[in-house]
Amino acid sequence: MRRRAAEVIDAGETLHTAAAALLADHRRAVDAVREAWAPLHAELARSELRRIPVDRLTHVTEGRLRVAAIEAAGLDTVQRVLDAGRHGLRQIPGVGQQTADQALGAARQLAEAVGETVAVHLDVDHPQPRTTALVAALQLLVEAGPDARRAVEAATVLDTGLGPLLDDARPAAGRLRMWFAGGERRERALAALTGIGRQTERAAADGVPVLLGQASVDLLRGPADEAAAWVDFELRSAEYYGLLAELTERAGGGPDPAAAQGFLPDALAERVRAQALDGTHSRVSLRGYQSFGARFALAQRRVILGDEMGLGKTIQALAVLAHLAAQGRRHFLVVCPAGVLINWTREIEARSTLRAVALHGPGRHDAFADWRGGGGVAVTTFQALTGFPELAADELGMLVVDEAHHVKNPQAQRSLAVAAWAARCAYVLFLTGTPMENRVSEFRSLVRILQPEAASGIGDVDTVAGSRAFRKAVAPAYLRRNQRDVLAELPELQWTDEWEELSAADRDAYRAAVRAGNFMAMRRAAYAEPKRSAKLHRLCELVAEAAANGLKVVVFSAFREVLGVVGEALGPQQPGGRLFGPISGSVPPARRQRLIDGFGAAAGHAVLLAQIEAGGTGINLQAASVVILCEPQVKPTMEQQAVARAHRMGQVRAVRVHRLLATDGVDQRMLEVLERKARLFDAYARRSAVAEAAPEAVDVSDTSLARRIVEEEQARLGAAR
């Protein structure tokens, strides 16, 4: 008995020691990151405070503080007030103790607020010693990966659980100790011995000792090579920034918690936070807002995740699937456009331990039978979905629908198929960054598939009342976060409208299109005569400038004809075959992915041509730092989606967007009409404190917009047929 007790205690002590050592190693790695980050963050905050005029202190104190004497003494910014301190302020004539204390208190309030909003940016093109130190410190933890996170979680449980049990079990290791321990102490020792045995056996069965050992090795590696650290950062900057945000959130620089939770009602947000999330089958570390998104999908079961492009909706969906797999679910189905099917299978394999099965092409029915027997995550298209037999009600663990706005028309065949599958599944997740493009009724139709009771609450009263009531009504089924609220580290997005005067040839082509009443021809008329096209000339200049700086460019147009013209103009200028595309709806998914991969892998400058409906959704183009839009788009969300393919989590350079526009023609008319549509989208699909619009303001269809513009241009030019 004593020998058995000693063995149990030894095993417990060995495990406890390994857990404590890992926690210490992890703490040192985390401290190294925070120590490298703190001076960078402090300098950013100081720089911001140096730009804030001292009279802002009056606003902080609601007019109670008079700063005229302080400003007259040369302390014209908030940072100078902080630098002066109480003693320096008291030396200013007319500034007493109360005024000095008030000024300093107000300055500290502003400093705290600034510290919570500024974020450290890591400039890969201009590394400095301090930013290099931070990247190197982060690399150690990034390289350790999700397994280290799980090891730390397991070590924390063991450290807090085994420690007290080992203390209580000491007497059981020897006869004399037990003899002198007393009855109550002996009972506690025996109970502790049982507890230690259970914990060590469970840890062994779960592979925890090996997990702890590997994590310790990973965290004890030597300092990273600086150049290698920067290369690794550029390849997976999203992981670096995500980890940095997590480790420094308490010290400021993290996203606003309310924004990260999509401004949901407090009671709902609290319930979501309480939802467990098992990461056993996950291979990626989630950011705070991503973890909340996954928990929201689990807690609410049937929801729309409407995060803005670039925030990692796919990762959040995979986290949900991984959790359900850990709970024993075996079959999952992802429905998506054909163009992103390959991307989904890659993400599943790279970011989870789940099996990916593509249900696409001639062998899709054999693949369906294989998936039904072996389980995993099946990925199929909207079109193929209609040809598969539905699973039993309890057989499908979760249905995920990517780019779910494709099923907004309740009468369409794809919508009916998705609704039928969703009706037989407890967990359904719709992913879309554009839940409402033109009509609130379309958004209501998505919610109706998921939560009919919530859809019934989105009535005309809510719509007329405006966006606040609308968002409150859909909160149980809808979560949306915006880049600007949760990705403070995103590099700058520089948007330039390039207005060009039409050449004589352009004007002739445009007038001919107007006379014919051909809206689409009007939109592409600026490229009808390539050699004399003002827009094309400017596009070539922008590409040449990007080439001189070694930058990658994505060119978007709604028209394949325009992309053909651009390709012919650029082809001779692109050395080494660095012109990729065009990507269009007719390009098979596999070839589309090869084009995107080739574009991303090309060293230095390259150009990718893409039709905006095909290349603006569901793909990642963060290799690009220049985006050129050949013409304005009919839908206000189309351009946002396209730009977000480049300006997204993982981008490390500023993104420059150039929209080519022709003066005094269809481009200008479109912008005038679409400005109202864009404001309305913000009011309903984003958080908004203004814009209480009526439902009829949303109803501007593509057809009515085209007809209106054609008629206006025919009247203006006197070119009616």
Side-chain angles (χ1 to χ4, degrees):
M1 172 65 184
R2 289 193 303 277
R3 179 177 298 175
R4 170 62 181 158
E7 291 174 352
V8 171
I9 292 174
D10 285 346
E13 287 179 338
T14 300
L15 193 58
H16 184 254
T17 299
L22 174 62
L23 292 176
D25 295 338
H26 183 258
R27 197 175 302 114
R28 280 193 295 272
V30 170
D31 289 345
V33 170
R34 289 175 175 161
E35 288 169 8
W37 167 84
L40 292 168
H41 181 263
E43 181 54 38
L44 281 173
R46 286 178 60 87
S47 178
E48 188 66 26
L49 291 167
R50 283 194 287 266
R51 288 195 288 268
I52 300 178
V54 71
D55 61 10
R56 285 284 298 277
L57 301 181
T58 302
H59 302 305
V60 175
T61 59
E62 298 180 349
R64 295 191 300 272
L65 177 65
R66 298 290 180 266
V67 297
I70 296 174
E71 192 170 13
L75 305 184
D76 56 348
T77 69
V78 173
Q79 185 58 53
R80 287 188 173 179
V81 171
L82 291 169
D83 291 340
R86 179 179 297 171
H87 178 73
L89 291 172
R90 289 291 306 277
Q91 305 307 307
I92 299 173
V95 176
Q97 179 177 341
Q98 182 177 359
T99 300
D101 288 345
Q102 280 184 331
L104 204 55
R108 286 170 178 162
Q109 283 185 47
L110 277 175
E112 183 177 351
V114 167
E116 292 176 351
T117 57
V118 297
V120 172
H121 295 270
L122 299 169
D123 189 345
V124 70
D125 292 319
H126 302 92
Q128 301 294 328
R130 291 195 300 180
T131 55
T132 297
L134 178 55
V135 170
L138 283 167
Q139 192 203 25
L140 185 65
L141 288 164
V142 170
E143 195 67 31
D147 283 345
R149 177 188 295 271
R150 285 192 283 273
V152 168
E153 292 172 354
T156 302
V157 172
L158 290 172
D159 188 55
T160 57
L162 278 177
L165 290 177
L166 287 168
D167 289 339
D168 288 344
R170 302 293 178 202
R175 179 185 300 174
L176 289 178
R177 288 184 183 179
M178 284 292 279
W179 179 265
F180 290 109
E184 182 180 346
R185 184 79 173 84
R186 282 196 295 271
E187 289 182 8
R188 197 160 67 245
L190 292 174
L193 201 64
T194 301
I196 293 170
R198 288 174 180 168
Q199 288 207 28
T200 54
E201 289 173 4
R202 187 184 310 118
D206 294 341
V208 171
V210 175
L211 186 66
L212 297 181
Q214 183 60 54
S216 288
V217 171
D218 291 339
L219 292 174
L220 287 174
R221 290 197 187 100
D225 175 79
E226 293 180 355
W230 277 111
V231 169
D232 191 56
F233 166 75
E234 187 168 4
L235 290 173
R236 44 178 177 168
S237 61
E239 295 181 42
Y240 279 74
Y241 275 126
L243 181 62
L244 181 62
E246 177 186 338
L247 298 183
T248 60
E249 186 174 359
R250 294 181 181 178
D256 174 15
Q261 296 169 13
F263 303 98
L264 294 180
D266 291 342
L268 177 55
E270 184 176 354
R271 189 158 73 86
V272 171
R273 289 193 298 269
Q275 167 68 46
L277 183 61
D278 192 323
T280 302
H281 295 289
S282 179
R283 287 178 176 162
V284 65
S285 298
L286 299 177
R287 295 192 175 202
Y289 77 86
Q290 291 173 333
S291 175
F292 185 87
R295 294 170 196 271
F296 175 78
L298 288 167
Q300 297 300 97
R301 293 188 171 226
R302 304 170 65 87
V303 298
I304 300 171
L305 181 58
D307 286 347
E308 192 173 19
M309 298 296 172
L311 294 184
K313 292 189 288 294
T314 301
I315 290 174
Q316 295 174 70
L318 289 176
V320 178
L321 298 181
H323 173 90
L324 293 174
Q327 306 306 306
R329 296 284 190 167
R330 297 183 61 244
H331 294 86
F332 309 99
L333 179 63
V334 175
V335 184
C336 63
V340 297
L341 186 143
I342 293 176
N343 189 62
W344 262 102
T345 58
R346 286 184 175 186
E347 291 289 289
I348 293 165
E349 292 167 351
R351 300 182 183 276
S352 77
T353 63
L354 305 178
R355 174 180 179 242
V357 183
L359 308 183
H360 187 59
R364 60 184 179 275
H365 292 289
D366 290 338
F368 182 87
D370 175 56
W371 166 67
R372 193 163 187 176
V377 184
V379 187
T380 192
T381 65
F382 291 105
Q383 183 177 2
L385 179 66
T386 59
F388 298 125
E390 295 171 20
L391 272 61
D394 60 347
E395 197 173 351
L396 187 63
M398 185 171 204
L399 172 67
V400 177
V401 181
D402 194 13
E403 305 292 349
H405 48 276
H406 287 304
V407 298
K408 63 190 177 186
N409 179 0
Q411 305 305 318
Q413 188 176 16
R414 66 176 65 175
S415 303
L416 296 172
V418 166
W421 278 80
R424 304 179 66 80
C425 188
Y427 289 90
V428 183
L429 178 58
F430 282 5
L431 306 178
T432 175
T434 56
M436 187 209 71
E437 294 179 87
N438 291 318
R439 301 175 181 84
V440 174
S441 61
E442 293 173 350
F443 180 73
R444 188 189 294 119
S445 70
L446 295 184
V447 178
R448 186 174 291 114
I449 296 174
L450 301 167
Q451 297 186 28
E453 66 282 3
S456 64
I458 312 172
D460 292 339
V461 174
D462 298 316
T463 309
V464 173
S467 59
R468 295 173 186 165
F470 175 81
R471 301 238 346 157
K472 182 178 179 180
V474 301
Y478 175 58
L479 176 67
R480 180 179 177 89
R481 280 77 56 89
N482 298 321
Q483 283 187 355
R484 63 174 177 265
D485 292 328
V486 296
L487 285 188
E489 82 280 359
L490 267 182
E492 184 181 0
L493 178 64
Q494 303 166 354
W495 189 292
T496 303
D497 280 348
E498 304 274 355
W499 288 97
E500 302 295 327
E501 291 284 348
L502 291 175
S503 67
D506 293 336
R507 284 195 296 271
D508 289 343
Y510 182 67
R511 284 180 173 273
V514 171
R515 282 195 299 271
N518 189 330
F519 179 64
M520 295 304 180
M522 290 164 59
R523 294 181 62 200
R524 59 178 184 266
Y527 300 91
E529 294 288 340
K531 292 183 179 180
R532 293 180 287 176
S533 168
K535 277 192 179 183
L536 186 59
H537 178 72
R538 179 55 181 154
L539 186 150
C540 291
E541 288 180 341
L542 294 170
V543 171
E545 180 184 343
N549 291 281
L551 302 178
K552 287 186 169 67
V553 182
V554 179
V555 178
F556 286 114
S557 175
F559 306 104
R560 279 183 283 187
E561 297 94 325
V562 171
L563 293 176
V565 168
V566 173
E568 289 182 8
L570 294 180
Q573 303 178 29
Q574 303 307 306
R578 292 178 180 169
L579 180 64
F580 297 86
I583 291 175
S584 68
S586 62
V587 176
R591 173 164 169 71
R592 180 183 312 194
Q593 193 61 53
R594 285 197 298 272
L595 289 169
I596 294 168
D597 291 345
F599 173 72
H605 171 68
V607 178
L608 175 68
L609 308 179
Q611 198 170 10
I612 198 162
E613 295 225 21
T617 58
I619 59 176
N620 301 331
L621 298 172
Q622 61 260 41
S625 51
V626 178
V627 177
I628 299 176
L629 302 169
C630 291
E631 70 283 319
Q633 303 306 310
V634 173
K635 296 178 181 177
T637 56
M638 191 69 72
E639 292 173 356
Q640 297 167 11
Q641 289 176 338
V643 171
R645 293 298 120 208
H647 191 248
R648 61 191 293 115
M649 184 170 55
Q651 176 60 265
V652 296
R653 294 180 173 86
V655 176
R656 292 158 45 199
V657 181
H658 300 270
R659 181 167 57 175
L660 302 176
L661 302 167
T663 59
D664 200 23
V666 65
D667 292 354
Q668 188 167 327
R669 303 293 176 267
M670 284 180 65
L671 293 188
E672 292 168 357
V673 175
L674 292 175
E675 183 180 357
R676 188 154 146 254
K677 290 180 71 176
R679 286 200 304 268
L680 210 77
F681 176 80
D682 274 350
Y684 285 92
R686 302 175 188 264
R687 176 177 180 256
S688 176
V690 294
E692 307 297 339
E696 58 269 17
V698 194
D699 188 9
V700 181
S701 68
D702 299 349
T703 303
S704 65
L705 180 145
R707 186 184 304 113
R708 181 192 311 178
I709 292 176
V710 168
E711 291 173 353
E712 289 177 355
E713 285 297 275
Q714 286 179 337
R716 183 178 70 87
L717 298 175
R721 288 181 294 180

